[in-house]
């Protein structure tokens, strides 16, 4: 196998003379060493490049670990840096976003226009009684109203919780309920592969299952007929046209709320080891420092660049690198609404050519998917504007890496493989363009970040050996906790190896200090780069009348990274058969979302359990993959 040979002796891709000459960081190791000697000094220098209402007294407060605080006493707001500070510079007249709908519609928005829309919508939210600290759930397709809603929420000091538009009823209901959101912002529908997705209808159903939302704001996108509840539901367009949105008293502007550096900016729900999804909390101060520094160095972004992060704004990648960091750096972003293969497999390459994209940041699963259609689809387009490529979400296999590098990047674009998580907020392990690359390795920790691979006892393993990936020092963009569950925060991330942050990934470090991420070692499944938990899928399965017990596992898949296999025990009186299996799959898709649809469901009489009743998913996984089942001494029978 080619990939196996690569792992044993990977090739080294040296940067071109041109890259070396023009890139921002010429000597990554020197910058890393300098930052390692004085990490707080490094982060403080980065923080000083941003605007603050008031400076901080202390860079890091670590007296109560793991409840770390950054830039203590500093006053800021991420919107001050993303929008306000550009309004008196030439950036005001640059495009912030070029948006292309799946149907080919184009909409552009300058930093000035974006700021105006954000101010108006912030006034709308205020008029609905949204105050500092209140939560707002955003459930939208990939439209410009999504960043507008996020920025408006942040501007007035409220906390957004974006729920990915591909999630469905139960996933949305759970997230609304846990965040106790006052307002929900959604759309009549969105488009995916030419078909409308009825978001408002899903939201209505979710609202019947959760009880905190007072008002719903509905963006018109798909032209679907929806039911509007009088007194609760309002059309976005109508609200934006009302006098209070324009607020003549303030010339249509809205004051950016002065926030403490440690005040919450957003919650983003993500899947964890057990139980319900957890609301990962990020704050204004440290987060903005982490995302802007990482984007600036790793992607070497220039003022004239057109940046395209092809993720969904509803995931952390979109929060950090479609919305906040590119705006902070004053860069023009592309947002494309739909599927990469719609209507033909060259849609992405068409977009790169049309807008002259300089940096494309995408997920390996998308690359593998497009690779399948062959080079002819790529070669009919001029991709010569591309300077850098990025990868995120899962390990990129060397074969896909080389295709991406050769066919998309024309052999001249370094691939910036960024390892990070919802919890880390910003890149943690990543190259910069001048660093020699090894296909499949995310290379080295970012300056100021200290990562280690350790054994069960928490001791660093020898080079080349597999172990658990941990971060050994706090960093500014780190999560500050799990919403309403400080104990779980401590237990899940900081208790296995006291003082070290547990990532949930396994990895190894080679003799050159390059990190190779192997994958999740907990019950998180990465399907096409999307993060799902076994618990969510299992609870969707058992919510069906026919199911008494269920287990879900991730099984490696060539294209999607992993797919979900479900195992269910039926209740008395239900007859196994293909009809029922199909119905159970559809039920999971309806409850959690189409991305969670199991590829296979097996009806079984028994599930392997420990004597204490815990399902042994690793046994199911070994069986599904035809591998040895390992130590079975704890198996019940
Ligand atoms: C995986 C996505 C290998 C990893 C930003 C991590 C990666 C999880 C990479 C977090 C990468 C992300 N190489 N694996 N470059 N990037 N991962 O929270 O398993 O959706 O723990 O954040 O994705 O997923 P999340």
């Amino acid at each position: 196998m080619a990939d196996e040979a690569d792992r044993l002796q990977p090739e080294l891709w040296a940067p071109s003379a041109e890259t070396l000459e023009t890139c921002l960081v010429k000597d990554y190791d020197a910058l890393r060493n300098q930052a390692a000697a004085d990490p707080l000094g490094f982060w403080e220098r980065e923080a000083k490049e941003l605007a603050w209402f008031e400076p901080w007294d202390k860079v890091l407060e670590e007296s109560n670990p793991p409840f770390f605080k950054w830039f203590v006493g500093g006053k800021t707001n991420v919107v001050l840096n993303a929008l306000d500070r550009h309004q008196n510079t030439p950036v005001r007249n640059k495009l912030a976003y070029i948006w292309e709908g799946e149907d080919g519609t184009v909409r552009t928005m300058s930093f000035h226009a974006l700021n105006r829309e954000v101010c108006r919508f912030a006034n709308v939210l205020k008029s609905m009684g949204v105050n500092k600290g209140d939560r707002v759930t955003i459930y939208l397709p990939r439209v410009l109203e999504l960043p507008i809603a996020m920025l408006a929420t942040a501007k007035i000091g409220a906390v957004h919780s974006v729920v990915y538009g591909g999630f469905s009823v139960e996933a949305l209901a759970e997230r609304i309920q846990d965040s106790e959101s006052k307002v929900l912002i959604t759309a009549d529908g969105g488009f995916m592969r030419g078909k409308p997705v009825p978001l408002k209808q899903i939201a209505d159903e979710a609202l019947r299952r959760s009880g905190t939302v007072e008002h719903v704001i509905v963006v018109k996108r798909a032209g679907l007929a929806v039911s509007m509840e009088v007194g609760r539901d309002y059309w976005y367009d109508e609200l934006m046209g009302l006098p209070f949105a324009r607020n003549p008293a303030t010339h249509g502007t809205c004051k950016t709320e002065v926030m403490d550096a440690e005040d919450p900016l957003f919650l983003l729900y993500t899947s964890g080891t057990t139980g319900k999804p957890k609301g990962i909390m990020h704050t204004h101060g440290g987060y903005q420092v982490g995302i802007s520094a990482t984007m600036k160095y790793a992607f070497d972004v220039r003022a004239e660049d057109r940046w395209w992060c092809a993720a969904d704004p509803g995931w952390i990648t979109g929060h950090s690198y479609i919305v906040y960091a590119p705006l902070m750096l004053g860069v023009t972003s592309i947002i494309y609404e739909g599927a990469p293969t719609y209507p033909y497999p060259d849609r992405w390459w068409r977009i790169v050519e049309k807008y002259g994209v300089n940096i494309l940041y995408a997920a390996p699963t998308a690359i593998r998917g497009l690779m399948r259609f062959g080079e002819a689809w790529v070669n009919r387009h001029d991709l010569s504007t591309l300077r850098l490529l990025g990868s995120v979400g899962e390990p990129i296999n060397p074969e896909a890496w080389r295709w991406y590098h050769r066919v998309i990047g024309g052999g001249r674009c370094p691939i910036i493989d960024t390892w990070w998580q919802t919890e880390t907020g910003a890149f943690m392990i990543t190259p910069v363009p001048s660093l020699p690359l090894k296909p499949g390795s995310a290379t080295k920790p970012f300056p100021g970040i200290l990562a280690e691979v350790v054994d069960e006892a928490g001791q660093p393993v020898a080079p080349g050996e597999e172990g658990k990936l941990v971060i050994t020092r706090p960093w500014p963009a780190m999560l500050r906790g799990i919403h309403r569950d400080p104990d779980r925060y401590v237990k899940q991330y900081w208790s296995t190896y006291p003082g070290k942050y547990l990532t949930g990934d396994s990895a190894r470090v080679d003799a050159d200090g390059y990190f190779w991420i192997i994958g999740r070692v907990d019950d998180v499944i990465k399907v096409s780069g999307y993060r799902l938990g076994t618990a969510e899928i299992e609870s969707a399965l058992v919510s069906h009348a026919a199911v008494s017990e269920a287990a879900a596992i991730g099984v490696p898949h060539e294209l999607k990274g992993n797919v979900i296999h479900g195992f269910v025990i039926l209740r008395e009186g239900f007859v196994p058969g293909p009809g029922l299996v199909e119905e159970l799959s559809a039920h999971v898709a309806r409850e959690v979302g189409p991305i969670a649809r199991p590829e296979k469901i097996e009806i079984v009489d028994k599930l392997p359990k420990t004597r204490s009743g815990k399902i042994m998913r690793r046994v199911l996984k070994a069986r599904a993959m035809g591998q040895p089942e390992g130590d079975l001494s704890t198996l019940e029978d």
Side-chain angles (χ1 to χ4, degrees):
M1 277 180 46
D3 280 4
E4 197 47 44
D6 289 325
R7 269 189 273 276
L8 297 173
Q9 203 173 30
E11 72 262 39
L12 203 64
W13 287 84
S16 69
E18 197 197 336
T19 301
L20 271 177
E21 204 174 295
T22 55
C23 68
L24 178 64
V25 179
K26 309 246 190 282
D27 187 345
Y28 195 38
D29 284 332
L31 184 67
R32 294 175 61 248
N33 290 338
Q34 197 192 332
D38 177 17
L40 298 188
F42 172 79
W43 291 118
E44 182 162 38
R45 269 193 303 284
E46 294 303 321
K48 282 186 176 157
E49 299 209 347
L50 306 180
W52 297 74
F53 292 115
E54 275 174 44
W56 51 92
D57 312 313
K58 198 174 179 187
V59 178
L60 172 65
E61 173 60 64
E62 43 189 337
S63 59
N64 182 25
F67 299 94
F68 300 102
K69 291 181 178 159
W70 283 87
F71 307 107
V72 186
K75 305 279 182 211
T76 190
N77 187 316
V78 70
V79 176
L80 173 68
N81 284 294
L83 292 176
D84 300 0
R85 78 159 169 172
H86 301 311
Q87 300 307 317
N88 301 316
T89 75
V91 175
R92 173 183 189 269
N93 298 319
K94 263 179 90 168
L95 293 183
Y97 291 119
I98 300 172
W99 177 87
E100 186 169 298
E102 211 184 48
D103 60 3
T105 317
V106 178
R107 194 177 165 201
T108 57
M109 205 172 267
S110 67
F111 279 85
H112 165 74
L114 179 64
N115 184 54
R116 184 188 57 211
E117 296 300 295
V118 168
C119 285
R120 278 193 187 169
F121 195 55
N123 286 327
V124 167
L125 290 175
K126 277 188 169 175
S127 76
M128 296 211 147
V130 178
N131 294 314
K132 185 170 172 175
D134 286 344
R135 268 82 61 205
V136 171
T137 294
I138 302 174
Y139 180 59
L140 284 172
R142 246 178 249 175
V143 290
L144 288 182
E145 284 75 11
L146 178 42
I148 292 170
M150 291 166 70
L151 291 157
T153 306
K155 186 176 178 76
I156 62 172
V159 178
H160 57 71
S161 164
V162 180
V163 179
Y164 168 57
F167 274 133
S168 199
V169 181
E170 185 54 29
L172 176 60
E174 234 172 24
R175 286 159 174 77
I176 291 174
Q177 190 67 40
D178 189 81
S179 63
E180 300 157 301
S181 287
K182 238 179 171 172
V183 167
L184 169 68
I185 303 161
T186 186
D188 56 347
F191 288 105
M192 200 34 88
R193 287 186 191 82
K195 276 194 295 204
V197 183
L199 296 176
K200 175 64 163 64
Q201 198 185 317
I202 294 170
D204 285 338
E205 179 60 38
L207 289 174
R208 278 193 278 279
R209 301 187 194 180
S210 54
T212 57
V213 168
E214 293 163 16
H215 295 299
V216 180
I217 301 174
V218 188
V219 174
K220 240 179 232 162
R221 167 63 191 135
L224 297 179
V226 298
S227 68
M228 299 289 280
E229 199 178 299
V230 179
R232 188 194 71 178
D233 302 354
Y234 301 88
W235 289 106
Y236 177 91
D237 280 345
E238 287 176 11
L239 293 171
M240 291 289 269
L242 293 174
F244 57 72
R246 294 212 195 87
N247 196 0
T250 56
H251 304 286
T253 62
C254 171
K255 187 180 144 283
T256 298
E257 194 67 35
V258 176
M259 304 300 283
D260 194 273
E262 283 293 308
D263 277 336
L265 166 63
F266 65 83
L267 299 176
L268 186 54
Y269 284 83
T270 192
S271 306
T273 300
T274 49
K276 288 178 182 297
K278 43 194 180 181
I280 301 299
M281 186 177 69
H282 284 284
T283 53
H284 280 263
Y287 176 74
Q288 62 178 2
V289 175
I291 59 172
S292 57
T294 47
M295 184 163 170
K296 180 178 68 180
Y297 290 125
F299 280 105
D300 206 7
V301 188
R302 303 173 188 171
E304 67 274 24
D305 277 341
R306 288 193 161 179
W307 158 258
W308 184 16
C309 167
D312 194 281
W315 295 88
I316 191 67
T317 310
H319 279 53
S320 300
Y321 300 105
I322 297 176
V323 182
Y324 293 116
L327 293 177
M328 288 175 68
L329 298 175
V331 172
T332 301
S333 283
I334 313 293
I335 299 183
Y336 165 56
E337 180 184 39
T341 51
Y342 187 86
Y344 300 110
D346 64 342
R347 185 62 184 266
W348 272 22
W349 319 128
R350 197 176 278 278
I351 292 174
V352 169
E353 177 172 18
K354 182 171 174 192
Y355 301 108
V357 173
N358 304 102
I359 312 177
L360 171 65
Y361 182 36
T365 185
I367 304 306
R368 287 193 297 266
L370 291 166
M371 204 170 130
R372 258 189 329 168
F373 294 100
E375 293 175 30
W377 287 103
V378 185
N379 293 340
R380 64 175 70 165
H381 297 284
D382 174 6
L383 306 185
S384 62
T385 51
L386 287 172
R387 186 178 81 244
L388 289 171
L389 299 171
S391 175
V392 61
E394 51 177 326
I396 181 163
N397 49 310
E399 194 196 346
W401 194 101
R402 277 194 295 263
W403 189 85
Y404 197 24
H405 187 263
R406 178 176 60 83
V407 180
I408 307 307
R412 69 181 184 279
C413 307
I415 294 182
I416 308 299
D417 180 357
T418 61
W419 177 90
W420 58 298
Q421 308 179 301
T422 304
E423 293 88 339
T424 70
F427 309 152
M428 299 295 276
I429 302 179
T430 178
V432 295
S434 62
L435 189 74
L437 303 171
K438 299 184 187 188
S441 167
T443 74
K444 301 185 178 186
F446 189 78
I449 302 295
L450 263 193
E452 267 177 12
V453 175
V454 300
D455 61 18
E456 294 302 323
Q459 293 308 310
V461 297
E465 267 177 40
E466 181 175 342
K468 300 215 167 111
L469 179 65
V470 297
I471 310 296
T472 60
R473 215 174 14 216
W475 64 101
M478 63 188 289
L479 76 164
R480 297 302 194 273
I482 297 175
H483 184 55
R484 299 202 304 173
D485 204 347
D487 294 344
R488 191 171 171 196
Y489 169 63
V490 177
K491 203 164 154 242
Q492 181 138 14
Y493 299 109
W494 299 95
S495 299
T496 312
Y497 307 112
K500 293 177 181 176
Y501 167 85
L502 185 73
T503 65
D505 279 7
S506 65
R508 57 192 178 79
V509 185
D510 69 18
D512 301 327
Y514 279 57
F515 283 66
W516 297 78
I517 309 297
I518 297 162
R520 300 290 310 195
V521 281
D522 53 10
D523 293 324
V524 170
I525 310 176
K526 278 278 182 161
V527 180
S528 301
Y530 293 120
R531 181 165 162 180
L532 295 164
T534 53
E536 280 166 287
I537 295 146
E538 289 163 3
S539 94
L541 282 169
V542 297
S543 74
H544 190 280
V547 178
S548 76
E549 277 188 75
I553 57 167
V555 177
H557 184 270
E558 217 177 298
L559 210 60
K560 299 181 174 174
N562 294 283
V563 288
I564 295 164
H565 283 194
F567 299 83
V568 297
I569 302 180
L570 294 184
R571 281 184 197 285
E572 214 53 60
F574 285 89
V575 197
L580 182 59
V581 164
E582 174 48 36
E583 155 142 10
L584 292 177
S585 290
H587 179 72
V588 176
R590 214 160 37 236
E591 289 294 304
V592 186
I595 43 164
R597 180 190 275 271
E599 195 212 40
K600 195 169 152 190
I601 293 182
E602 253 180 75
I603 295 176
V604 295
D605 299 329
K606 241 187 221 169
L607 287 168
K609 284 186 189 163
T610 61
R611 282 176 205 103
S612 58
K614 223 176 140 233
I615 295 171
M616 295 176 77
R617 294 192 191 81
R618 79 174 159 80
V619 174
L620 289 170
K621 192 164 171 170
R623 276 182 207 166
M625 293 169 63
Q627 285 173 354
E629 292 175 13
D631 178 11
L632 294 180
S633 58
T634 54
L635 195 66
E636 182 191 31
D637 68 71

